Amino acid sequence: MNFLSYFRLIGSTIAALVLAAGCATQQKKPEAPAPVPEPEPAIEQQAPSGPSAADAEQAILAAKAALKKAASVDGVWRDSGAVLAKAEAAAKAGDYAKAIELAQQARQQGEMGYNQAMLERAKHIMGKLEAYKGSMTADQRDRLAAAHNAYRNYQGDRAYSLASELWAEIAASNISYVVERGDSLWRISGKDEIYGNPYQWPLIYKQNKSQIRDADLIYPGQNFQIQRTPSGAEVDAAIRHARTRGAWSIGVVEEADLLYLRH
């Protein structure tokens, strides 16, 4: 082998080695493994907490307010104070659930006591108003009926409000007159401080029909309610009846009088 051939053989060998190394460097590198996600921290489940001292204090304050309101109308039940004292003792001992239970009981008693007292007050006023029903306007009778309806539905505040407002209105438009010896409806009606017209006596008769059986027979000491400002129609009807009544007798209830009362 001559020198030139030997040189060519060496060159081919080197070229082959270089080519093999290049192929090896072009091989695909293995992919890195995907990162494993870290687990999220678990959320701790908190057990529901019981009533707090603030809850108990709020319930006790509500009970005190209800009992104070009931006391303003003399409507506090006998054991309500003791129930409230037990609620305060339970709160002081840290038994807040028991404190709230007792405070709610005291509050309910206060609310019921107040309502009961207002119903009694409304009933008293409505009883007085019944004596004036015959001389009431249609609107006033409707308001009295509404007060009775509220009373039947145990709505103490509403019944009392309706009745007391109506009573104030009726009282302002009426005066009291105590019958004296020698009085008659004719004589009373003619007094200047009453109507100044004796022919208006049927107004007194009609308004006090619960006390007067015979319009010609009244008694000393009777207390009559007299409407200050009767309507024009009421005055006309009274005068018409007084002028057209006809014959009368003491101790006898005339049919004409009964007919007048029905209208």
Side-chain angles (χ1 to χ4, degrees):
M1 177 182 296
N2 58 26
F3 178 79
L4 181 60
S5 297
Y6 178 78
F7 182 78
R8 287 177 178 173
L9 177 61
I10 293 299
S12 298
T13 302
I14 293 172
L17 290 174
V18 171
L19 180 61
C23 291
T25 58
Q26 292 177 5
Q27 289 180 358
K28 186 177 181 181
K29 295 181 180 179
E31 296 182 358
V36 179
E38 296 182 2
E40 297 183 2
I43 299 176
E44 295 182 0
Q45 298 293 329
Q46 296 182 351
S49 58
S52 65
D55 296 330
E57 182 181 2
Q58 184 176 3
I60 290 172
L61 288 175
K64 287 182 176 180
L67 292 177
K68 183 178 179 180
K69 188 175 181 180
S72 69
V73 292
D74 297 324
V76 178
W77 292 8
R78 286 185 301 177
D79 65 334
S80 297
V83 174
L84 179 60
K86 291 179 181 178
E88 292 177 318
K92 187 175 181 180
D95 191 348
Y96 303 130
K98 187 65 174 178
I100 292 173
E101 179 185 352
L102 290 167
Q104 288 176 342
Q105 181 183 342
R107 176 181 57 79
Q108 290 171 357
Q109 288 182 352
E111 291 171 350
M112 293 174 67
Y114 173 80
N115 189 60
Q116 191 174 39
M118 298 307 289
L119 287 172
E120 289 299 320
R121 292 188 175 199
K123 181 180 179 181
H124 175 69
I125 296 175
M126 290 187 295
K128 294 194 296 182
L129 286 169
E130 286 296 326
Y132 297 88
K133 196 172 181 179
S135 61
M136 287 182 183
T137 64
D139 174 68
Q140 289 172 334
R141 286 193 294 270
D142 288 343
R143 287 155 60 192
L144 179 57
H148 279 291
N149 187 58
Y151 178 84
R152 287 191 293 270
N153 289 324
Y154 301 100
Q155 299 172 326
D157 264 339
R158 176 168 172 74
Y160 176 77
S161 177
L162 289 168
S164 60
E165 288 177 6
L166 181 56
W167 173 248
E169 184 178 310
I170 293 294
S173 62
N174 288 270
I175 58 174
S176 295
Y177 181 86
V178 179
V179 178
E180 300 175 351
R181 185 174 297 276
D183 271 342
S184 65
L185 294 181
W186 172 276
R187 182 171 181 272
I188 296 171
S189 180
K191 290 177 178 289
D192 291 337
E193 66 270 27
I194 305 301
Y195 294 133
N197 183 351
Y199 282 99
Q200 289 183 221
W201 69 260
L203 292 170
I204 306 173
Y205 171 49
K206 189 170 189 177
Q207 189 167 2
N208 297 277
K209 61 184 178 181
S210 62
Q211 298 186 64
I212 304 172
R213 179 178 178 274
D214 178 8
D216 303 304
L217 186 61
I218 59 176
Y219 302 93
Q222 286 183 298
N223 191 341
F224 293 156
Q225 301 303 314
I226 300 174
Q227 189 176 13
R228 289 181 182 272
T229 56
S231 67
E234 290 173 325
V235 172
D236 291 344
I239 293 175
R240 184 168 55 251
H241 174 66
R243 293 184 182 279
T244 61
R245 181 186 181 209
W248 53 272
S249 299
I250 294 179
V252 177
V253 181
E254 278 69 33
E255 186 63 31
D257 290 341
L258 295 176
L259 182 61
Y260 169 74
L261 293 178
R262 290 196 290 267
H263 293 83

